[in-house]
Each structure stands twice: as structure tokens, then as C-alpha cells.
Amino acid sequence: MGTKRDNIVRPINPASFHAVETGSREHIPGCLSIDFSVAVVLPAGGSGERTGLSTPKQFCTFLNRPLISYTIQAFERIAWIENIVVVVAKNSIDLMVKVVQQFGHKKVKVVLGGSTRHRSIFNGLKAFEEREEDSALKKPKVVIIHDAVRPFVEEDFLLKIAIAAKQQGASGAIRPLVSTVIATTSEGYLDHSLERAKYRASEMPQGFLYDTIYQAYVQCSEADFEFGTECLHLVLQYCGTNARLIEGPHTLWKVTYKQDLFAAESIIKETLAQTACVVTGLCEESTRLAGALQKTLGTQDMHVEIVPTKLRSSSTFISTNWNFIHVTVNSACLADLEELVKTFEETAHSVLYSVVLILVHLDVSEQPSASETMAALGGIRNLAAEAKRRNILLYGILLNHVKDAEQWEEAVENLSQIIASLIKERNPVLTGQLLWA
């Protein structure tokens, strides 16, 4: 959740995704067991006109990945969600299929959308009624409808929505109104305003008994299909089912405008930057520097773990980290970096999120030679170019050891600032560069 540095409510740390995918829900206080089938429909056929971009916002890319993929993953990593139907416009079918394949989404079926939001959602629901042998989906007890451009929904809230939908027939997220709602006259003057405390904004996700929402759509009028947007209203009007409304967290916000894409990217960067792993050898200087980095980076709200070189290929620490600092003394040890890059590739660890790998080369020789050091590290540029194609960002930092305690402390602090900046910004332009700390 949020850090003490600001009031932004953050999504679940990506480092916890591995644990969530095992199906354990012990991390959710008072969690009830899901003993019924749940599926998701994601309408993603919008044109994104309000962003002012030529690409629909759900396909806009940041950190080498389209927005829709982040939203899909938010559901896919939850063990009790069985299927995700993504509904897209005809001209986006091939692109959506490519996204599913490229980022390894396993629970997704892509469906052709309609000319309006309600028609698209209905098409998504009808996918569960199809009986083609090669593409049949199991009809769920509960279906969750969510916007493709709300990527930060979390499991504990989805659990509340699903259980309320099972018990009540329908459920929906609400949030307090941020602004006062007013009515205007035809001449453009104030008519009246609503008392904000009495009203709420209807948000997503919304959950329904599948049969209830499906029957509501079967009975819909053409006017509903053409102009309606609120699914909760349909089940109330046509099925007499009054939804249970649940106040949702701040993370349910929707990417609507261009600046929202930058905000989403910033949140993900901040979340990825909360942890790091220092891979260190057994020599005294390497161990001491690793400890110093753990301390200084910790003052910047980063949790740092130290792992010996012999464990650098361990799947346990790799699966829960996206930032690695490899400390070497005197020798460049590019072979160790190559092994780490290979491990990331074999485990597909960098498919969803970019991995930052920083080589910190500590020179403890009495008379360090810049030319010799540069020659030893010359191969980092080629390795970085190869790694970047696999979404691995490799950087190099040179640090000369100094005996004066005060100067050494200042050098380590400067090194930590550079490392923290590289991890937070994840700038691909600087990969392969050798920086001096």
C-alpha cells in the first residue's frame, strides 16, 4: 500500500504476485473461501478519444507493456478467477491476440465487441453460452465486469465484490464524489446543485450472478443498448435485483486522459522500486559495501536483501525481486552477469516487468587505472544491448575505494543515490553505460 513519502495508495507490490498465484489467500484478513466459479468480462473496445491519442488508451504502452496487459494480470494472478473474456473492436482483434501471446496470459479469451458499451458486454457474456468444442468456456456462477483501463484492482476487494454478488445477485464499487454535481439551465446558468454527501460515484468492478445479468441483457431495449452505461441499473430494472454497494479503495481510478497514463506508469515504477537484492561475493570489501548499500538504500524506503554470489541463480529470490545490484571487486565478472541474464530469460522473469541489473565495480587497487578498468568492463555494452531485448536493463557503476572514512561514506551515499535513481526511473537509454560514483 502507500509509503510514508506520500499519500498515493499503491497497488499490491509486484513482488507479492508470486505468492498470490499459488492460490493462498491467507494474506487477506477474514478471507472467506470461494467455493463457486468466477469469471471476468473486460470491455476494451473504446476508442479513447479523451486521451487525445491516436492509439486507444487500453493499448497505450508504458514500461514496454500495454495498459490492458496490466489489467488482465490483476485478475489472472488470482487463483479463484477461472476465465477472463476481453471484448475488443474488430480492428483490434489481432493486436489483442498478440498481447495475450507476448505476455503469456493464460486465462484469456478474446471476443469481438459491439458498437456500444452494453453491446460489447453482452457479447462478452454470450461467450459463455457458446458450445464450440475448441473454445467453450465454463459458465460461471458469478461474473465480474470491469473496465480494461482500471489496472490497480486488488484481490481483497474483488473477493468482497464476488461474495456480495453471490449472496445478493449483484454488487458494485462506489466512491465518494470528488466534486459537487450541478444542473444548468439551457442558457448556461446554474439551476441547482446536489448535496454531495448524499451521492456516490458508481465505479468498477461490478459483480453479478451470471444468470441474472445475462437475463437482464436479453430483456434490454434498443435504447438501453444504445445509450445506457450502468449495468447495475439493468439488473434492477429487468430482474428486480438491487445491488449491494461497497465503497472501494483509491486504487480503482480509471485511466481517462493522457496524464493518467503517466500517473499509472509512475505508480508502477514506485511499486517496483520498493525492493532490491544485492548479490555479493565473499571478499571482505564486497560484503562491507553490500551492507553499506543496504543501510543507505533503506533510508530511501527501499527494502534491500543481501544474497551471496553462490545463490545468485536461486529461483526463490529471483521470483520476488525486479532490481539486482551485483557487487564485484577488481575483476569485472561479466560472466556472472551473463548467467543472471540467462536465468531471467529461462524463468521468463522479465516478461511482465522490466528487470534492473546494476553492476557495481569496486576498485580497491592502490593505483587504479581508468583505462584498465574500462577495458575490463568493455563487454558490458554488448551484454546490455542483448539483455535489453529481453526487457532487462543493465547498467554499470564504477566506484574507487578510498581509505578516508568520511570520503568513503560520501562515496557510498553518492552511489546509493545513483542506484536508487536507476531503479526508479528504469531508463533504457542509459543501459550499457558506465557511470562514475
Side-chain angles (χ1 to χ4, degrees):
M1 303 303 291
T3 70
K4 62 187 179 182
R5 284 178 292 175
D6 51 51
N7 295 319
I8 296 176
V9 179
R10 306 190 187 289
I12 292 175
N13 191 328
S16 69
F17 289 172
H18 180 76
V20 174
E21 289 168 354
T22 64
S24 171
R25 294 188 294 280
E26 295 177 357
H27 66 290
I28 301 178
C31 174
L32 300 177
S33 175
I34 291 287
D35 57 358
F36 52 91
S37 57
V38 182
V40 176
V41 172
L42 292 178
S47 61
E49 292 179 358
R50 284 178 289 184
T51 61
L53 301 172
S54 57
T55 301
K57 55 193 173 185
Q58 61 271 27
F59 294 110
C60 287
T61 298
F62 52 89
L63 297 178
N64 293 326
R65 191 169 155 207
L67 175 61
I68 182 69
S69 177
Y70 290 99
T71 307
I72 290 172
Q73 188 206 8
F75 291 95
E76 194 168 46
R77 62 186 170 80
I78 299 173
W80 46 268
I81 289 180
E82 298 181 359
N83 300 108
I84 303 167
V85 173
V86 182
V87 190
V88 297
K90 184 177 181 179
N91 59 359
S92 298
I93 289 283
D94 291 342
L95 176 57
M96 190 66 241
V97 170
K98 181 180 179 181
V99 169
V100 170
Q101 294 173 345
Q102 180 178 354
F103 297 100
H105 297 302
K106 304 299 183 184
K107 298 182 181 181
V108 175
K109 178 174 182 178
V110 181
V111 171
L112 178 64
S115 58
T116 64
R117 176 177 172 82
H118 273 324
R119 289 191 173 97
S120 290
I121 293 173
F122 194 23
N123 282 1
L125 295 172
K126 286 189 287 189
F128 297 100
E129 301 291 327
E130 297 173 355
R131 290 295 173 260
E132 290 88 347
E133 187 174 337
D134 61 339
S135 62
L137 297 177
K138 175 185 174 183
K139 187 169 75 170
K141 183 69 175 179
V142 167
V143 62
I144 293 174
I145 298 174
H146 190 66
D147 290 324
V149 291
R150 296 181 193 259
F152 300 133
V153 63
E154 297 183 5
E155 181 176 1
D156 55 351
F157 187 70
L158 288 171
L159 188 71
K160 295 176 184 178
I161 290 291
I163 291 175
K166 169 70 160 45
Q167 295 172 345
Q168 183 68 24
S171 62
I174 56 172
R175 288 286 303 152
L177 290 176
V178 175
S179 303
T180 300
V181 178
I182 63 173
T184 61
T185 66
S186 57
E187 293 82 15
Y189 295 99
L190 175 68
D191 188 304
H192 65 278
S193 64
L194 301 180
E195 187 177 342
R196 188 171 61 184
K198 291 183 178 180
Y199 297 88
R200 293 292 182 270
S202 178
E203 307 284 359
M204 289 289 177
Q206 295 177 354
F208 305 88
L209 288 172
Y210 173 83
D211 289 338
T212 299
I213 186 65
Y214 187 82
Q215 286 305 314
Y217 272 106
V218 168
Q219 299 174 68
C220 266
S221 68
E222 281 300 309
D224 292 322
F225 277 122
E226 193 66 30
F227 305 109
T229 58
E230 182 54 79
C231 301
L232 298 179
H233 177 72
L234 294 182
V235 296
L236 177 61
Q237 180 177 353
Y238 293 107
C239 302
T241 300
N242 202 345
R244 171 81 170 88
L245 303 178
I246 305 171
E247 185 158 322
H250 298 288
T251 52
L252 294 180
W253 62 275
K254 180 180 180 182
V255 173
T256 304
Y257 302 103
K258 185 177 180 179
Q259 58 265 33
D260 296 332
L261 289 166
F262 299 127
E265 179 179 17
S266 177
I267 289 174
I268 292 172
K269 282 182 176 180
E270 283 280 341
T271 305
L272 288 170
Q274 290 176 358
T275 61
C277 179
V278 179
V279 182
T280 178
L282 299 178
C283 68
E284 182 180 352
E285 294 88 350
S286 175
T287 303
R288 189 183 301 118
L289 178 56
L293 287 174
Q294 185 180 50
K295 180 179 178 180
T296 54
L297 289 172
T299 63
Q300 302 181 50
D301 294 331
M302 186 183 298
H303 175 76
V304 178
E305 180 182 4
I306 299 176
V307 175
T309 303
K310 62 182 180 180
L311 298 178
R312 64 179 176 266
S313 298
S314 169
S315 60
T316 301
F317 87 87
I318 284 179
S319 64
T320 56
N321 285 281
W322 275 265
N323 308 298
F324 300 85
I325 305 159
H326 198 294
V327 177
T328 66
V329 178
N330 285 340
S331 61
C333 291
L334 293 182
D336 289 342
L337 295 183
E338 291 175 353
E339 184 176 338
L340 272 174
V341 169
K342 183 178 179 181
T343 301
F344 295 147
E345 182 180 6
E346 291 174 346
T347 58
H349 188 54
S350 59
V351 170
L352 296 179
Y353 297 99
S354 59
V355 170
V356 169
L357 178 55
I358 302 173
L359 169 65
V360 175
H361 178 68
L362 175 62
D363 197 324
V364 297
S365 58
E366 292 295 330
Q367 294 180 329
S369 169
S371 59
E372 291 179 3
T373 301
M374 296 295 286
L377 296 174
I380 194 172
R381 185 181 296 273
N382 292 335
L383 180 57
E386 183 67 24
K388 188 159 66 170
R389 286 192 281 270
R390 293 164 174 78
N391 205 24
I392 301 166
L393 307 176
L394 174 59
Y395 309 95
I397 305 177
L398 307 180
L399 177 66
N400 291 328
H401 186 272
V402 291
K403 293 182 178 181
D404 181 82
E406 186 175 339
Q407 290 181 354
W408 174 245
E409 184 176 341
E410 183 180 342
V412 172
E413 177 63 30
N414 187 42
L415 173 64
S416 298
Q417 294 288 345
I418 295 173
I419 289 174
S421 179
L422 291 173
I423 287 175
K424 181 177 179 181
E425 296 304 323
R426 310 183 102 75
N427 189 340
V429 175
L430 293 178
T431 58
Q433 303 300 311
L434 294 177
L435 309 175
W436 289 89

